[in-house]
Amino acid sequence: MKKLIIKVESGLLDQNLDQPIDAEAEKLRNKYEDKLAFQSLGVVYGDLGTSPLYVFYNTFPDGIEDPEDLIGALSLIIYSLTLIPLLKYVLIVCRANDNGQGGTFALYSLLCRHAKVKTIPNQDLTDEQLTTYSRSTFHETSFAGKTKRWLEEHPFRKNALLVLVLVGSSMVIGDGILTPAISVLSAVQGIKLDHPSMSSDVVVLVAVVILVGLFSMQHHGVDRVSWLFAPIVLLWFLLIGGIGLFNIWKYDTGVLKAISPVYIYRYFRRGGRDSWLSLGGIMLSITGTEALFADLSHFPVPSIQIAFTTVVFPCLLFAYSGQAAYLMKNTSHVVDAFYSSIPDCIYWPVLLVATAAAVVASQATICATFSLIKQALALGCFPRVKIVHTSKRFLSHIYIPDINWILMILCVGVTAGFKNQNQIGNASGTAVVIVMLVTTLLMILVMLLIWRCHWILVLIFTGLSLVVEGTYFSSVLCKVNQGGWVPLVIALAFFIIMYVWHYGTKKRYEFEVHSKVSMAWILGLGPSLGLVRVPGIGLVYTELARGVPHIFSHFITNLPAIHSIVVFVCVKYLPVHSVPEGERFLVKQIGPVNFRMFRCAVRYGYKDLHKRDESFEKKLLEGLNTFVRLESLMDGCSDSDDYSMCDQETEQPNVLPNHSSNTMPLNMDGTVSSGDSIVSLNGHLHNNTDMVSSGFLSNVAEVNELEFLGVCRDAGVVHILGNTEVLAHRDSKLYKKIAIDYIYAFLRKICRQNSAALNVPHESLLNVGQIIHV
């Protein structure tokens, strides 16, 4: 495969050989997609596949009065599976991925790239030149342009969009607690059917033991056992599909008439309000659909589509139809509809597979919750928590210890507290339908702003989605007092945490922007900055992408010395899934050359992880070294947004020398980009002698700068971090004082220190304390 690609790119093949190679490549691609489609069963569809364990019991918790109600409920399940998972998610929403990443934050990052809706404006013009910063352009007078302006016009709309995303994310976390509880409890419920005298408390105890074991194993990662997931879930789907076909043939083939939507109308006309309330149980047939989109990062869209249309969708239809056929003849068995409909000869094997499938479904939901929290943390919407990679092969396999134990406590509490599937099902349905409504609203903006669909298509999509999901939402609201309050309380707690953390981070960033040091003041200090310049390199960490931070003036005001070379390091996360390693570092010159002050922006995507790596400091200093070497190439190239009048209101327009704002994105593959030009440096950066002989260094002064940089590097590197305490102004409103002085302050105390989050080595760490009022 690699040889074929090389030959095609080098143009060595003639026209006659194109067709065989294309056919061979297509064959390999299809084979690869089929393999991934098989693997996706264990990661993506576990939650959706375990729904037959509890749907009919939650739909008819008080028993079945009329067997015809089963036909109406089955018809609702069939059309719910067709409209929501198949048409909406598999065929439409999955296409709205961010370079393969799914979920509410992926949609939000897409919108942030196409419109200036990010509430923390820490992006730079050079960030848009990243290869992963993909976005389409459109005319300002187009409908997409008008939509963009409408979003950007008022801060309230930006904030409302963020609130919408946080609400959906909070509900996903709530579902990550409820799904393991209801799946495992429903699976082990089959033990009681074979032993009627067994107490329900014993069943709950078994479920709790399984859940504790599941969460306790998370730190080992799932990489070693993930190869078992796909076979288990595939076997599960084949079992429920086969049992369903058997029950249809054995009990009542008449249930197949549920394919007609007429029976939905008859179901509501006959049952009235009771039929409407039963929608909360039918809603559970599509739980796990949002996880399908959230887990998209593991597999390409075609593989997801192949797995759903060929295995998941038909097996679920057969499973629900088979249960309905069995219940037509055994209406009193609705409490244990799934296990009662299993033939006796395979009862225990199915019980074991069901328990294993429930564990797999829970694992997938937990992993999706970890990924979502990591995305929220990267975008400044969650407190700093420890993130551990559990796999060397798969970056998406992560483990968050603090969140894992919180999820376990809440999950065990829900299982032991409710003790039955009905109330947990009501809670799960509430969380799922709210997430779906949030996705629908975000998809409207994606279709208008990014896809630029015709308004009629947008209206059809919106109408169908809101009619179905709005109807389900109205039903689950009536069950808030029957367990539906659980996800609302959990989501409210996580929403407050995420929003307050983002609010405090935003206020702190605004303070940094408004209080940054004037360049005129820096120039007035002279090359020595009015202090003793001691040997070494000082890395001053800041959140500012432009300007000299306030922490620097606070530092030099209280200490009589500063390092010979000062580098302002801004570690920032962009609304992209990842930043290539070669484009991670962006170095800029600050002030005249003899000031020896630089800025290095270290850019990450929400999928990337800033881990403790000795090569991080090494690469940063190598980038600085390369910048000094190539500074002569950058003469005349200015970074207009670096120290303009808009950026530094107090400075004079003619204060800076022409070369004071040189900019160089450092690509580790040996290229330097400036503006629209890219200069290749491979083979030319071996040593100072080669640089001089090659013409890259124009004089000996450049070589002296390199030697000075080497001396400072050998003298040592000190990481200077601000230890900032944030307080609200005395005249602030009450809600702001509560948010900043109590909630945000509490979160900062219990979360990881900034030095730990940035993985700064403690042996070379210098903390600078300050108090700011926002």
Side-chain angles (χ1 to χ4, degrees):
M1 187 66 179
K2 187 178 293 184
K3 293 181 179 179
L4 293 176
I5 295 175
I6 293 173
K7 290 182 178 180
V8 170
E9 290 180 346
S10 60
L12 298 177
L13 297 176
D14 56 22
Q15 186 70 23
N16 296 330
L17 295 179
D18 287 344
Q19 186 62 34
I21 287 181
D22 289 343
E24 183 68 20
E26 183 70 17
K27 183 178 179 180
L28 291 174
R29 185 176 66 85
N30 292 336
K31 184 178 180 180
Y32 185 65
E33 286 181 354
D34 293 341
K35 179 182 178 181
L36 290 178
F38 167 71
Q39 294 176 351
S40 70
L41 290 172
V43 176
V44 177
Y45 295 111
D47 189 8
L48 191 65
T50 54
S51 296
L53 288 169
Y54 44 79
V55 167
F56 276 109
Y57 169 59
N58 283 273
T59 304
F60 302 104
D62 299 324
I64 302 172
E65 297 181 1
D66 189 343
E68 284 297 315
D69 289 342
L70 284 167
I71 305 298
L74 178 61
S75 186
L76 279 168
I77 291 173
I78 291 173
Y79 282 97
S80 296
L81 286 170
T82 304
L83 291 175
I84 302 299
L86 179 61
L87 293 181
K88 178 185 175 183
Y89 278 88
V90 173
L91 298 182
I92 298 177
V93 175
C94 282
R95 295 179 57 199
N97 60 84
D98 182 17
N99 292 286
Q101 303 296 310
T104 52
F105 273 105
L107 293 178
Y108 182 63
S109 69
L110 274 175
L111 295 173
C112 287
R113 291 206 302 272
H114 287 78
K116 296 178 181 179
V117 294
K118 193 176 179 183
T119 54
I120 301 179
N122 64 341
Q123 293 177 226
D124 198 82
L125 292 177
T126 52
D127 297 333
E128 300 180 9
Q129 299 173 4
L130 293 171
T131 54
T132 53
Y133 202 96
S134 57
R135 63 172 184 172
S136 55
T137 57
F138 43 81
H139 200 274
E140 290 296 325
T141 59
S142 63
F143 194 75
K146 294 178 181 178
T147 305
K148 177 177 179 291
R149 287 197 304 273
W150 180 81
L151 282 173
E152 297 174 349
E153 277 177 357
H154 203 284
F156 172 79
R157 292 165 189 162
K158 299 179 184 179
N159 198 50
L161 181 63
L162 176 65
V163 168
L164 185 66
V165 172
L166 295 183
V167 168
S169 302
S170 303
M171 287 297 171
V172 171
I173 297 174
D175 190 40
I177 295 169
L178 298 169
T179 294
I182 190 172
S183 297
V184 173
L185 183 61
S186 300
V188 300
Q189 195 76 30
I191 302 175
K192 188 177 179 182
L193 184 64
D194 193 65
H195 299 80
S197 60
M198 181 180 292
S199 171
S200 298
D201 293 336
V202 177
V203 176
V204 173
L205 179 62
V206 173
V208 167
V209 170
I210 293 175
L211 289 172
V212 172
L214 173 64
F215 283 100
S216 299
M217 296 296 292
Q218 291 300 312
H219 69 281
H220 293 296
V222 298
D223 188 35
R224 297 179 182 177
V225 296
S226 59
W227 60 274
L228 281 174
F229 289 178
I232 289 174
V233 178
L234 177 61
L235 178 60
W236 169 251
F237 276 116
L238 294 178
L239 279 174
I240 63 175
I243 294 171
L245 283 173
F246 174 78
N247 288 334
I248 294 172
W249 169 78
K250 181 179 180 180
Y251 293 104
D252 191 353
T253 58
V255 295
L256 297 178
K257 61 186 178 182
I259 197 70
S260 172
V262 174
Y263 290 93
I264 296 177
Y265 168 74
R266 294 180 180 177
Y267 178 68
F268 285 115
R269 187 183 64 178
R270 183 170 52 252
R273 187 176 184 274
D274 292 337
S275 298
W276 176 62
L277 290 175
S278 69
L279 289 176
I282 294 172
M283 175 72 197
L284 297 178
S285 63
I286 55 177
T287 56
T289 305
E290 192 62 34
L292 179 155
F293 182 47
D295 288 325
L296 195 63
S297 60
H298 300 85
F299 307 98
V301 174
S303 299
I304 300 289
Q305 295 172 336
I306 291 171
F308 187 83
T309 54
T310 59
V311 178
V312 178
F313 187 65
C315 288
L316 286 177
L317 293 183
F318 291 145
Y320 288 116
S321 300
Q323 284 190 47
Y326 174 80
L327 291 174
M328 290 289 287
K329 305 298 183 182
N330 304 275
T331 56
S332 61
H333 293 174
V334 67
V335 176
D336 301 303
F338 176 79
Y339 285 109
S340 298
S341 64
I342 299 175
D344 294 337
C345 58
I346 60 171
Y347 175 80
W348 283 105
V350 172
L351 175 62
L352 294 176
V353 175
T355 305
V359 171
V360 172
S362 303
Q363 178 64 57
T365 308
I366 294 168
C367 291
T369 304
F370 288 163
S371 298
L372 183 143
I373 290 176
K374 183 184 181 302
Q375 293 177 6
L377 189 152
L379 295 176
C381 297
F382 203 86
R384 296 181 295 268
V385 291
K386 184 179 181 180
I387 298 176
V388 180
H389 271 298
T390 59
S391 172
K392 295 181 179 179
R393 295 187 300 166
F394 304 104
L395 291 178
S396 56
H397 289 183
I398 60 174
Y399 167 66
I400 306 178
D402 300 332
I403 300 301
N404 180 71
W405 302 123
I406 292 174
L407 292 179
M408 186 194 75
I409 293 172
L410 294 176
C411 187
V412 170
V414 168
T415 305
F418 286 127
K419 298 183 180 181
N420 69 81
Q421 308 167 30
N422 188 24
Q423 289 187 325
I424 302 178
N426 294 336
S428 181
T430 304
V432 169
V433 72
I434 293 178
V435 175
M436 290 182 176
L437 285 171
V438 170
T439 302
T440 298
L441 296 177
L442 293 176
M443 279 299 300
I444 296 173
L445 295 176
V446 170
M447 295 176 75
L448 290 174
L449 186 62
I450 302 173
W451 291 355
R452 284 171 253 175
C453 298
H454 196 278
W455 65 270
I456 294 179
L457 295 177
V458 179
L459 188 62
I460 293 174
F461 171 82
T462 306
L464 287 176
S465 299
L466 291 182
V467 166
V468 176
E469 295 162 5
T471 304
Y472 279 126
F473 183 63
S474 64
S475 176
V476 298
L477 280 182
C478 294
K479 296 186 177 181
V480 170
N481 61 339
Q482 302 175 26
W485 58 271
V486 173
L488 298 180
V489 172
I490 295 174
L492 179 62
F494 278 97
F495 174 81
I496 292 174
I497 291 172
M498 289 193 289
Y499 187 80
V500 170
W501 183 265
H502 182 270
Y503 179 76
T505 303
K506 177 185 174 183
K507 290 299 180 182
R508 192 174 64 182
Y509 181 82
E510 290 175 351
F511 173 85
E512 293 288 344
V513 171
H514 292 135
S515 62
K516 58 187 175 183
V517 180
S518 167
M519 195 60 198
W521 182 75
I522 295 291
L523 292 174
L525 296 176
S528 65
L529 302 179
L531 302 168
V532 177
R533 301 296 291 267
V534 297
I537 300 176
L539 301 181
V540 182
Y541 287 83
T542 173
E543 296 181 0
L544 289 180
R546 293 181 295 176
V548 179
H550 176 264
I551 189 69
F552 179 70
S553 64
H554 185 69
F555 175 78
I556 64 176
T557 301
N558 290 275
L559 289 177
I562 192 64
H563 299 86
S564 299
I565 295 178
V566 178
V567 183
F568 299 104
V569 181
C570 174
V571 178
K572 61 179 179 178
Y573 286 84
L574 303 175
V576 296
H577 71 288
S578 63
V579 176
E581 190 70 25
E583 301 175 328
R584 180 147 294 162
F585 298 89
L586 178 67
V587 174
K588 299 180 181 181
Q589 178 85 46
I590 298 180
V593 175
N594 57 353
F595 276 46
R596 296 189 176 94
M597 296 174 63
F598 305 89
R599 177 183 300 106
C600 181
V602 188
R603 303 171 293 184
Y604 292 91
Y606 55 79
K607 185 181 177 182
D608 298 326
L609 181 64
H610 179 62
K611 53 186 177 181
R612 179 155 195 174
D613 189 356
E614 293 180 358
S615 64
F616 172 79
E617 181 181 306
K618 179 181 177 182
K619 289 178 181 178
L620 191 152
L621 296 179
E622 284 179 354
L624 184 62
N625 197 331
T626 306
F627 178 83
V628 173
R629 292 181 179 184
L630 299 174
E631 190 177 8
S632 61
L633 285 179
M634 309 302 293
D635 285 344
C637 298
S638 63
D639 182 17
S640 59
D641 65 343
D642 196 16
Y643 285 109
S644 63
M645 287 295 293
C646 296
D647 188 40
Q648 296 285 349
E649 297 179 358
T650 59
E651 69 185 71
Q652 301 299 324
N654 58 351
V655 168
L656 292 180
N658 291 334
H659 63 278
S660 64
S661 56
N662 291 344
T663 302
M664 188 185 74
L666 295 176
N667 297 326
M668 294 303 142
D669 58 358
T671 62
V672 177
S673 61
S674 175
D676 297 329
S677 63
I678 297 179
V679 182
S680 177
L681 306 175
N682 292 329
H684 294 286
L685 300 180
H686 297 299
N687 52 55
N688 296 341
T689 304
D690 293 338
M691 294 288 290
V692 175
S693 62
S694 302
F696 279 90
L697 293 179
S698 57
N699 49 55
V700 180
E702 298 285 356
V703 181
N704 292 336
E705 286 294 323
L706 289 174
E707 293 177 352
F708 183 78
L709 179 61
V711 170
C712 291
R713 184 174 182 175
D714 295 337
V717 178
V718 177
H719 300 258
I720 303 172
L721 234 64
N723 187 10
T724 306
E725 183 178 355
V726 183
L727 299 174
H729 287 292
R730 291 184 178 180
D731 56 348
S732 299
K733 295 182 179 179
L734 180 61
Y735 72 86
K736 185 176 180 180
K737 290 183 177 180
I738 294 175
I740 297 296
D741 294 345
Y742 295 97
I743 302 178
Y744 184 70
F746 175 74
L747 293 175
R748 280 176 59 86
K749 286 181 180 179
I750 64 173
C751 75
R752 300 181 79 202
Q753 295 294 324
N754 204 18
S755 58
L758 293 172
N759 293 299
V760 174
H762 290 282
E763 58 272 13
S764 58
L765 172 64
L766 176 61
N767 271 316
V768 181
Q770 65 173 346
I771 298 176
I772 64 174
H773 292 85
V774 298

